[in-house]
Amino acid sequence: MSRPSGRRGLCLLDFTTNLGVSGMARAAKAQQLKLEIKEEFTLLSERVYSVDEHPAEPWILTSLNSGTVCIWNYSTQTLVGSVKVTGLPVRSAKFIARKQWVVAGADDKVIHVYNYSTMDMTKEFEAHTNGIRCVAVHPTLPYVLSSSDDMLIKLWDWENGWLCIRTFKGHSNCVMQVTFNPRDTHTFASASLDDTIKVWDYETKSCVQTLEGHTHNVSAVCFLPGFPIIITGSDDGNVRIWHAASYRLEYNLNYGPESVWAVSYIKSLLRVIIGYDKGTIMVKLSSEVPFASMDSEGKIIWARHKKMETVNIKSVGADYEVVDGDSLPLTVEEFGTSRPYIQSLTHHPNGEFYCVCGNGSYAIHTPSGGWKQFGPALEFVWSTEGHCAIRESTSKITIFSKTFKRKKSIRPTFSVEHIYGGNLLAMCSNDNIHFYDWADLCYVADFAGYETDDDTVDMANLADCTLIWKITVNVEVRKLHIKNLYWADSHDLVTIASDTSFYILKYAREIVTKHLDANRPAEEGGVGDAFQLLYEIKERVWTGLWVGDCFIYNNSSQRLNYCIGGEVTTMCRLELDRPMYLLGYLASQSRVCLLDKEYKLVGYTLPLSVMEFRSLVMAYDMERANKVLESIPEEHCRGLAEWAAHVAPKAAFKNLRRKFRAMHDARSELEKLHREYEERREKMSAMEECYVKKDVELEFIREVLPTFSGTVYLCPQVSTMAKNNYISFLQANKAQGINSAKLVEIEHLGPHVWANRERWPYY
């Protein structure tokens, strides 16, 4: 059987994936992948049935409808070589680089093997009873898979004289393509005209999973070695992206009405190649969201796919002038590889460990990069005290102690879409957020009457656990979608970010503690008055973090803001075409650190004293605010003065005005001195030229000096002889009203200071 002919051609595409940051951005329940598309280049030809990439050379192998196999150099876009294999269409061709072979399957039912260096035939044999649709090469073993219109898949061993060692049955129509899984080489996938994709285990000869969803013939399937995804293409014009571990559908892409015939990849360039009726599309893959985490000392760990790297902000020397918004010059060091494909990365609260999570598993690392613990998980979170929890599914949450001993697995009575760590363990469903006390969950004695440090697990219904509070996120008839949750270091403030607003709540620890100590039964909605809503801000938080009582965030408009006491202040406007993600705050450098998807780090200055002063003023603690006021850097005083004029209490405003008035007076004095300097600079320069003529010099001194009643300011260019003459003149003329005169060189009042006068604060 064969598919009806369509239009001919060749077209190349370009993808960019979007996958998540620890503490910055969380993946959706399924850790959904995101894609951006960019065209790379287009190469016209007759119909292309398959494409393949050479692992070492910049070559693409194409098999054509005419029975020809071509090798192209994609760097120079030139033809390297070609061979006429048969008079019938060649449906598939692959490189076997370790043997310098090309293996091809055609409509003549024969597998053809050629040496690509000489283009001489090495082997050919009849493999199926109908046309061959695809061949695939095992990455390490001497195996080749072939699929055919006879609905069979066969596994061949070339070291045993191309002996068929396995035959797979299960499809009900032509098997159009087969491909090995590079992450698990015992498995492979097949695409068929029965509209399905099957995943097989060739050792057990069993079908592991059947993927359904395409509405017409499926002819293309591809695993990506660097990403946990399967890409499939069909006559329905759709390219579907599936998660390789859970087999769920991530995306359905449609670039036009043409049929998709083939899918391959270029591992070295992170590119996917899709062959259509009219051409080929090359798709570039890169992380849209950086996966990174920073500890309190400025040490950053980030992940590019499975490669781990580390940098330290403190490596930027004190002598380096850091400009807000400029990329910091950091030295990147390789740190090993990660076991799972990373979709989140978070540091332990004290920085002692860090955890990576993705592709259905998690792994806890030591600072040196070694493994501490790993296992299956969709999400991983830390508590503020060092406990941790994993979401294994929507119906199972497991809690671990500080020593990473499994303590309790619970089965919620609702579907858990997300979990969030922090001071309390939060479980988020589609309608509610449920907060639970970590200690209440971690210690089995509270539920089973004993404690254990072994791997014994107490399976508990969530109804047996103490609910601290339940937030229903339905507002009128509009349902809010919770995006993230951020706890303050003080453990009593929390921000809940939705798709339209964010809410700042205060946690009443004392009320909850009394409730738990009294062993009172929890109400349906949790402990009463456990939280108090302080502020609702109508902004969408992109990423955020707490520093003391200050919530720093960038919004959907890429403005870097901070919120203290419900008042929002904009620090700066970020570049709209360069999305930034908050990484952390380095107190020793008073710097807010942000990262872009290219892993370029920028910083913006925000002193702790500014945040503390504003927080104290909003709390009407003027005694402490006045003490902090003295430590605020002068360059931040103007912004505080403008803020104080509008929102500060009267007492605070009075003290601020006194300080800023003094600064204004100092600035006025500076301007006055500079004007005097400018008025006399010409005359002083003229005098310098003729300082050897004492009579002229003294005449100039007699003309100029009587205008001064106090300090005489000399240009630094005035010669030593002239200065000595000034001194003599002053000593000789004390009776003429210059009794308190003294000489001051004003090198510090040069043009540089004057050019930067706008930086001086004023009231």
Side-chain angles (χ1 to χ4, degrees):
M1 296 178 66
S2 61
R3 299 193 304 175
S5 298
R7 289 172 290 180
R8 299 175 229 170
L10 184 73
C11 173
L12 280 179
L13 244 198
D14 187 358
F15 277 117
T16 303
T17 77
N18 229 342
L19 296 168
V21 130
S22 130
M24 307 180 183
R26 288 184 177 267
K29 159 192 172 183
Q31 296 178 325
Q32 189 179 42
L33 310 176
K34 299 180 182 178
L35 300 170
E36 293 178 356
I37 311 302
K38 185 177 74 174
E39 183 178 349
E40 288 274 308
F41 64 87
T42 299
L43 178 65
L44 296 180
S45 72
E46 60 183 283
R47 177 178 293 172
V48 177
Y49 280 116
S50 75
V51 290
D52 190 35
E53 180 231 0
H54 194 282
E57 302 291 341
W59 295 348
I60 292 177
L61 176 67
T62 61
S63 63
L64 307 181
N65 185 65
S66 63
T68 302
V69 172
C70 300
I71 300 176
W72 296 88
N73 186 313
Y74 57 78
S75 295
T76 61
Q77 300 189 34
T78 58
L79 181 66
V80 176
S82 65
V83 62
K84 183 75 171 181
V85 173
T86 178
L88 297 174
V90 178
R91 302 287 180 172
S92 178
K94 295 291 188 294
F95 284 112
I96 305 180
R98 56 190 183 272
K99 303 293 287 186
Q100 294 189 350
W101 289 345
V102 168
V103 58
D107 281 1
D108 60 4
K109 314 172 194 176
V110 175
I111 288 180
H112 306 266
V113 184
Y114 284 81
N115 184 305
Y116 60 66
S117 297
T118 63
M119 290 301 178
D120 293 333
M121 185 179 66
T122 301
K123 179 76 172 180
E124 65 178 14
F125 59 94
E126 186 170 321
H128 289 268
T129 59
N130 211 329
I132 297 174
R133 291 291 182 167
C134 184
V135 292
V137 181
H138 193 281
T140 57
L141 298 177
Y143 296 158
V144 171
L145 280 169
S146 63
S147 65
S148 169
D149 286 351
D150 61 12
M151 298 179 286
L152 299 179
I153 302 168
K154 295 185 179 182
L155 183 65
W156 307 89
D157 185 345
W158 72 67
E159 287 190 352
N160 287 324
W162 291 92
L163 177 67
C164 179
I165 59 175
R166 295 280 193 282
T167 299
F168 303 89
K169 300 178 181 180
H171 283 294
S172 59
N173 209 327
C174 306
V175 184
M176 302 300 293
Q177 190 171 358
V178 286
T179 181
F180 283 101
N181 183 354
R183 299 169 66 88
D184 180 5
T185 56
H186 294 295
T187 61
F188 66 91
S190 60
S192 172
L193 296 189
D194 62 10
D195 304 346
T196 68
I197 304 96
K198 291 183 182 293
V199 180
W200 306 81
D201 186 323
Y202 72 74
E203 289 190 332
T204 63
K205 297 172 54 176
S206 62
C207 178
V208 177
Q209 184 76 28
T210 299
L211 307 179
E212 298 177 321
H214 283 290
T215 59
H216 207 1
N217 305 324
V218 182
S219 57
V221 59
C222 178
F223 288 96
L224 295 189
F227 294 84
I229 59 178
I230 305 171
I231 298 180
T232 61
S234 167
D235 272 1
D236 60 14
N238 294 317
V239 175
R240 292 199 163 206
I241 299 176
W242 313 77
H243 198 286
S246 65
Y247 302 113
R248 66 178 176 269
L249 177 66
E250 295 282 355
Y251 281 95
N252 186 56
L253 309 175
N254 192 309
Y255 302 114
E258 298 86 5
S259 298
V260 180
W261 289 85
V263 179
S264 187
Y265 60 86
I266 303 176
K267 182 179 179 181
S268 59
L269 299 180
L270 297 177
R271 281 164 168 77
V272 173
I273 307 166
I274 306 171
Y276 286 86
D277 270 338
K278 288 189 172 182
T280 306
I281 294 179
M282 181 177 284
V283 180
K284 182 181 179 181
L285 292 92
S286 63
S287 295
E288 180 68 18
V289 177
F291 304 102
S293 181
M294 185 178 84
D295 65 15
S296 59
E297 300 299 319
K299 183 179 180 180
I300 302 170
I301 298 173
W302 63 48
R304 301 179 190 238
H305 305 295
K306 296 183 70 173
K307 184 172 68 174
M308 308 291 294
E309 296 175 336
T310 179
V311 298
N312 197 326
I313 299 180
K314 289 187 176 180
S315 64
V316 180
D319 55 341
Y320 181 83
E321 184 178 354
V322 178
V323 179
D324 284 357
D326 284 358
S327 297
L328 299 180
L330 300 173
T331 302
V332 179
E333 299 178 2
E334 291 192 9
F335 199 53
T337 59
S338 168
R339 183 180 296 266
Y341 181 84
I342 299 174
Q343 292 181 265
S344 71
L345 194 159
T346 51
H347 267 95
H348 186 278
N350 64 12
E352 185 178 358
F353 304 100
Y354 66 94
C355 180
V356 297
C357 185
N359 199 24
S361 63
Y362 77 96
I364 299 174
H365 296 252
T366 62
S368 61
W371 306 103
K372 181 69 176 178
Q373 183 168 309
F374 60 90
L378 296 177
E379 285 184 294
F380 178 98
V381 295
W382 298 102
S383 79
T384 53
E385 301 298 326
H387 302 99
C388 56
I390 60 173
R391 181 171 69 92
E392 297 187 50
S393 67
T394 57
S395 60
K396 185 179 179 182
I397 309 297
T398 301
I399 314 298
F400 295 85
S401 69
K402 296 179 183 179
T403 57
F404 309 118
K405 298 294 183 180
R406 186 181 295 240
K407 288 297 184 180
K408 180 177 285 294
S409 290
I410 56 177
R411 295 199 176 274
T413 56
F414 53 89
S415 177
V416 180
E417 308 299 325
H418 282 301
I419 58 173
Y420 299 99
N423 193 34
L424 299 175
L425 175 61
M427 303 181 195
C428 184
S429 68
N430 288 329
D431 301 319
N432 304 296
I433 302 179
H434 304 253
F435 289 90
Y436 292 87
D437 183 72
W438 282 94
D440 196 29
L441 289 172
C442 284
Y443 294 105
V444 177
D446 290 343
F447 302 98
Y450 63 92
E451 291 185 285
T452 177
D453 280 331
D454 58 22
D455 292 333
T456 303
V457 179
D458 176 35
M459 294 298 297
N461 190 303
L462 195 60
D464 299 332
C465 304
T466 304
L467 176 66
I468 300 299
W469 211 43
K470 181 174 76 174
I471 301 176
T472 301
V473 294
N474 288 325
V475 179
E476 298 175 349
V477 297
R478 178 174 57 87
K479 181 181 291 187
L480 298 178
H481 298 283
I482 303 303
K483 298 297 183 181
N484 217 324
L485 188 148
Y486 308 91
W487 279 95
D489 294 336
S490 61
H491 306 163
D492 60 353
L493 292 174
V494 62
T495 298
I496 298 176
S498 76
D499 54 353
T500 57
S501 305
F502 68 91
Y503 307 85
I504 296 179
L505 299 89
K506 185 173 183 179
Y507 173 52
R509 182 191 300 273
E510 294 182 358
I511 294 176
V512 174
T513 301
K514 289 180 181 179
H515 182 98
L516 295 178
D517 291 344
N519 293 320
R520 294 199 299 268
E523 303 170 6
E524 182 179 354
V527 179
D529 300 324
F531 283 90
Q532 175 189 358
L533 176 62
L534 299 180
Y535 315 107
E536 176 184 356
I537 310 296
K538 297 290 186 180
E539 281 192 279
R540 181 176 179 178
V541 173
W542 188 261
T543 55
L545 58 91
W546 282 91
V547 178
D549 293 338
C550 174
F551 181 61
I552 305 172
Y553 66 97
N554 59 326
N555 60 21
S556 54
S557 300
Q558 285 299 303
R559 291 182 182 273
L560 183 58
N561 298 338
Y562 62 91
C563 178
I564 299 177
E567 294 290 337
V568 175
T569 301
T570 297
M571 290 178 59
C572 65
R573 179 78 177 263
L574 304 173
E575 299 177 34
L576 289 174
D577 59 347
R578 184 190 177 189
M580 304 297 294
Y581 302 85
L582 275 165
L583 187 59
Y585 180 80
L586 190 59
S588 61
Q589 298 182 8
S590 301
R591 186 175 298 150
V592 180
C593 301
L594 299 97
L595 198 66
D596 66 10
K597 70 172 185 177
E598 302 298 332
Y599 292 85
K600 293 181 179 178
L601 187 72
V602 300
Y604 291 90
T605 303
L606 181 59
L608 280 171
S609 57
V610 171
M611 293 184 280
E612 186 179 3
F613 176 79
R614 294 183 64 146
S615 179
L616 292 171
V617 168
M618 296 303 293
Y620 289 84
D621 189 347
M622 299 314 304
E623 182 178 352
R624 292 173 60 194
N626 289 333
K627 294 179 181 179
V628 174
L629 180 62
E630 301 303 320
S631 64
I632 295 176
E634 293 181 353
E635 60 267 23
H636 292 273
C637 291
R638 177 186 296 182
L640 278 179
E642 295 172 351
W643 168 77
H646 293 92
V647 301
K650 185 176 292 185
F653 182 74
K654 184 177 180 180
N655 292 330
L656 284 167
R657 189 169 88 174
R658 184 181 300 113
K659 177 171 182 176
F660 296 132
R661 172 61 68 184
M663 292 180 179
H664 173 69
D665 293 343
R667 183 187 180 202
S668 299
E669 180 65 20
L670 175 68
E671 292 174 347
K672 177 182 176 183
L673 294 176
H674 189 80
R675 282 196 301 270
E676 293 175 353
Y677 170 76
E678 289 291 337
E679 289 172 2
R680 290 161 178 77
R681 186 172 57 178
E682 271 188 42
K683 293 183 178 180
M684 287 182 174
S685 297
M687 184 203 67
E688 174 69 12
E689 295 176 3
C690 57
Y691 70 92
V692 292
K693 300 179 181 179
K694 187 174 181 180
D695 53 337
V696 176
E697 182 177 313
L698 292 177
E699 182 181 346
F700 172 78
I701 292 173
R702 292 189 185 94
E703 178 186 346
V704 174
L705 288 182
T707 62
F708 290 91
S709 59
T711 301
V712 177
Y713 294 93
L714 299 183
C715 177
Q717 285 77 26
V718 174
S719 68
T720 302
M721 183 180 295
K723 293 175 185 177
N724 292 335
N725 289 336
Y726 285 152
I727 294 172
S728 300
F729 176 83
L730 291 173
Q731 292 174 346
N733 291 276
K734 288 183 178 180
Q736 298 184 15
I738 319 178
N739 296 327
S740 61
K742 61 180 178 178
L743 295 174
V744 178
E745 294 188 26
I746 55 171
E747 294 183 67
H748 61 285
L749 277 181
H752 175 72
V753 174
W754 181 252
N756 290 278
R757 62 189 181 280
E758 293 301 327
R759 296 179 61 183
W760 280 68
Y762 66 92
Y763 169 64

